[in-house]
Amino acid sequence: MLRRFLFAAGMAVVVGACSTSKVPAPAAAVDPGRLEAMVKVLASDAFEGRAPGTPGEDKTIAYLIEQFQAIGIQPGGPDGQWTQAVPMMRTFLESPQLAFTYPQGQLQLVQGENIEVSTVRAAEHIHAEEVPLVFVGFGVTAPERDWDDYGDIDLTGKIAVYLVNDPDFAAEPGEPAAGRFGNRRMTYYGRWAYKYEEAARRGALGALVIHETEAAGYDWSVAAAGAGERVALASNATGPAPIALQGWLHEGAATELLAMAGHDLATLRRAARQPDFSAFELDGVQFRVHSDVTVTRFDSRNVLGLLPGSARPDEVLMVSAHWDAYGEGPPDAQGRTVRAGANDDALGTAGVLEIARVLQTGPPLERSVVFALWTAEESGLVGSRAYAVDPVYPLETTVANFTLDILQTAGAAQDVILVGEGQSSLEDDLARAAAAQGRYVTPENLPENGLFYRADHFSLARAGVPVLLLMGIAGGADLVEGGRAAGNQWIADYVGNCYHKPCDAWSPDWDLSGAVQDIELFLRMVEDLGNARRWPEWRPASEFKAVRDNSAAARREDG
């Protein structure tokens, strides 16, 4: 009833405006100056890195609401509010004592140096001695691909040790695994989140993923950035209890661990690429952990704005980004402690606000548009996942989700990078909109990084909503100045030096012309779908098609 009331009230406002016969003003353009100004505020030291549950969140939420109000967008949250509460829990391992032990001695593990572990359980202590370790290869159970790494192994109370990415990531032509999971394109099976979920389903005490820079898509400093801190939903009523300990194991420490048990890491990598591989316990090696845990509960917030549709307000388009960053951490070489996330994702957040402003300035759309700014993306897509579990607007009649997360700042591009090729008909819309800009579409040239599964749109995709993501690190753009080589260099510099680090700060060297192109691309796609009767569809081979098909009766067909 609430949703209908909000839509009806919004529609009355629009109809009233139309009855004055006022000629709509021409649509405004995305303003790079406004983008820059908003990023400079959100990424300033005063916002303390925008970590959920901190004073930086309070400042961020207040600023975002102020921006929506200034451009005339309505509150879009529950009960006519601006925000949707996301009950969260922050955990921190206090000086954990960690080691691998074996008869000849032990390998001490140091948080942040050769291991990074955290917990998403509300436990005050984690104490375990003589925990068995199981090498599970890539940890994939995929009947549709005739692949099962677990066999008859019992993971109950044990630590599962995983290889990162998919079985075919490094497979040579002719190997049985080659092409089984999309070659270099990472599937969800390759994501650490899937591996943790599978470990939990099988009753494991914990899971450690062996870090490899190329296979993970980022270096060790990024994997270790959590430093024992984790933010998660305060409850997990929809699935099994999470594992007690999760994290990354440095490749060097993994090599030593496996050598203790008489194995070679490179040899096991090759063995794990065989379909007959089966998980096995590492004989003679055990894990020890002793740590107190600080647990803090709090409500974080998604910020939601609404532009009601004039004709079919129950049909909703969603434009989103995440407002959070990484808070404060150890000082870098320049002494900076604030990990401000200027590009990731203050720029995307500013892009959503600019799309809202331009749409509000122009003629009303027939469908509604919801502007969603999510919390806790950096903690595992938490805010968007909370929304997908308890949506404010029915997902069955959510037309599509458009997500902005990291936009390249190296200048105008001749192409747009498509993330997750082959998923939905939104790719056809993207190609048409890009052509109207004089650009062409390039499939991501770093598909092994699995970016389709690493941004907030994925939470909506899992719930069946067609999605499209623009992310500047998915592949080097064909820049107007410097071509593909310059685009690749921008990614190397950003990911290598600034991703999730204090270096991700606003810079006067930014050239936002490429970011403006991408924001306007989404703007025009929303305008087009906002006045259409068609519904984007998943491709027949997409893993999300069946979910969407189950709610087909809720969507009106073209008429």
Side-chain angles (χ1 to χ4, degrees):
M1 294 298 293
L2 164 67
R3 293 168 184 137
R4 292 196 183 112
F5 172 78
L6 286 175
F7 284 132
M11 185 166 60
V13 170
V14 173
V15 171
C18 290
S19 66
T20 64
S21 299
K22 180 179 178 181
V23 177
V30 172
D31 184 346
R34 288 179 60 89
L35 293 172
E36 180 180 300
M38 286 186 280
V39 170
K40 290 171 76 172
V41 172
L42 289 167
S44 66
D45 285 353
F47 282 63
E48 303 173 7
R50 305 191 308 282
T54 68
E57 168 169 352
D58 296 335
K59 292 178 182 178
T60 301
I61 300 301
Y63 178 79
L64 297 176
I65 292 173
E66 177 184 279
Q67 296 304 304
F68 275 132
Q69 289 174 325
I71 59 181
I73 296 297
Q74 296 183 19
D79 302 319
Q81 302 299 306
W82 282 107
T83 61
Q84 177 190 35
V86 180
M88 299 188 70
M89 173 181 68
R90 174 179 283 106
T91 58
F92 180 70
L93 300 188
E94 301 282 356
S95 303
Q97 299 175 39
L98 307 157
F100 294 131
T101 62
Y102 67 123
Q104 292 78 19
Q106 63 180 5
L107 171 62
Q108 292 288 343
L109 299 168
V110 180
Q111 182 82 294
E113 291 187 13
N114 55 8
I115 195 171
E116 194 287 320
V117 288
S118 60
T119 186
V120 292
R121 282 193 184 179
E124 295 182 354
H125 313 280
I126 298 177
H127 297 299
E129 295 271 1
E130 300 179 350
V131 181
L133 292 126
V134 177
F135 180 75
V136 296
F138 293 93
V140 172
T141 177
E144 77 283 2
R145 289 174 167 85
D146 193 24
W147 197 279
D148 177 26
D149 285 331
Y150 293 93
D152 297 327
I153 198 76
D154 181 6
L155 287 185
T156 304
K158 301 173 184 178
I159 299 291
V161 180
Y162 291 88
L163 295 170
V164 70
N165 216 302
D166 294 314
D168 63 352
F169 170 73
E172 298 291 337
E175 284 191 43
R180 204 76 162 258
F181 293 82
N183 291 312
R184 298 284 286 187
R185 184 180 303 282
M186 185 189 287
T187 69
Y188 189 54
Y189 295 118
R191 289 286 293 140
W192 52 260
Y194 165 79
K195 299 174 194 292
Y196 296 162
E197 291 167 2
E198 192 62 31
R201 282 190 286 268
R202 295 172 180 270
L205 176 72
L208 297 173
V209 180
I210 299 172
H211 178 266
E212 302 172 54
T213 295
E214 185 179 7
Y218 38 77
D219 65 21
W220 174 252
S221 66
V222 175
E229 184 177 40
R230 181 64 55 186
V231 176
L233 283 175
S235 63
N236 187 33
T238 59
I243 50 180
L245 206 66
Q246 62 184 47
W248 292 93
L249 184 61
H250 191 280
E251 189 173 9
T255 299
E256 292 189 59
L257 164 66
L258 295 170
M260 290 177 184
H263 297 282
D264 173 69
L265 177 56
T267 300
L268 286 181
R269 281 198 191 103
R270 289 192 294 273
R273 296 201 295 266
Q274 305 303 312
D276 60 354
F277 170 83
S278 188
F280 61 91
E281 195 165 313
L282 297 174
D283 292 335
V285 186
Q286 297 174 325
F287 181 71
R288 184 180 70 229
V289 55
H290 295 287
S291 183
D292 292 335
V293 184
T294 299
V295 181
T296 307
R297 294 180 182 274
F298 61 96
D299 274 352
S300 189
R301 288 154 290 179
N302 293 325
V303 181
L304 301 170
L306 173 67
L307 188 61
S310 62
R312 296 185 301 285
D314 290 337
E315 299 174 8
V316 173
L317 289 147
M318 177 175 283
V319 184
S320 61
H322 68 91
W323 60 254
D324 68 304
Y326 261 90
E328 297 189 72
D332 67 358
Q334 299 181 36
R336 298 175 294 186
T337 60
V338 174
R339 295 173 290 185
N343 197 331
D344 183 16
D345 191 27
L347 181 54
T349 296
V352 172
L353 290 166
E354 267 296 89
I355 290 174
R357 182 185 67 84
V358 174
L359 290 176
Q360 171 66 11
T361 303
L365 302 180
E366 295 179 3
R367 286 167 159 166
S368 298
V369 184
V370 171
F371 305 97
L373 299 174
W374 309 120
T375 182
E377 187 271 354
E378 302 292 7
S379 301
L381 319 184
V382 176
S384 57
R385 183 156 59 92
Y387 180 93
V389 170
D390 185 22
V392 180
Y393 306 91
L395 299 179
E396 296 85 353
T397 50
T398 298
V399 180
N401 170 272
F402 297 90
T403 292
L404 296 169
D405 193 348
I406 305 179
L407 301 175
Q408 62 89 0
T409 57
Q414 300 181 92
D415 64 346
V416 58
I417 306 299
L418 169 62
V419 181
E421 183 184 17
Q423 285 288 357
S424 82
S425 63
L426 286 172
E427 298 168 23
D428 301 329
D429 296 73
L430 178 70
R432 287 191 294 270
Q437 290 183 322
R439 295 202 289 168
Y440 63 95
V441 174
T442 299
E444 58 186 317
N445 53 29
L446 293 171
E448 62 271 24
N449 292 349
L451 294 176
F452 187 84
Y453 307 97
R454 284 170 51 182
D456 282 309
H457 71 291
F458 182 57
S459 297
L460 282 300
R462 294 181 77 174
V465 177
V467 298
L468 199 62
L469 167 69
L470 290 183
M471 183 175 265
I473 60 174
D478 181 6
L479 298 179
V480 172
E481 296 188 11
R484 190 83 62 199
N488 288 333
Q489 187 61 53
W490 179 86
I491 291 179
D493 291 342
Y494 176 75
V495 174
N497 301 317
C498 298
Y499 185 51
H500 292 178
K501 300 172 185 175
C503 174
D504 189 2
W506 176 82
S507 169
D509 295 331
W510 278 12
D511 181 343
L512 292 181
S513 55
V516 168
Q517 284 179 309
D518 285 349
I519 294 167
E520 289 187 334
L521 194 65
F522 269 5
L523 170 64
R524 302 314 169 198
M525 292 178 70
V526 170
E527 287 179 322
D528 177 52
L529 277 171
N531 289 319
R533 298 193 65 90
R534 59 192 167 85
W535 297 86
E537 297 180 348
W538 292 104
R539 305 291 196 202
S542 172
E543 60 265 51
F544 311 110
K545 184 178 187 299
V547 180
R548 188 66 162 181
D549 287 350
N550 288 337
S551 64
R555 293 182 291 278
R556 292 194 296 259
E557 298 296 330
D558 292 354

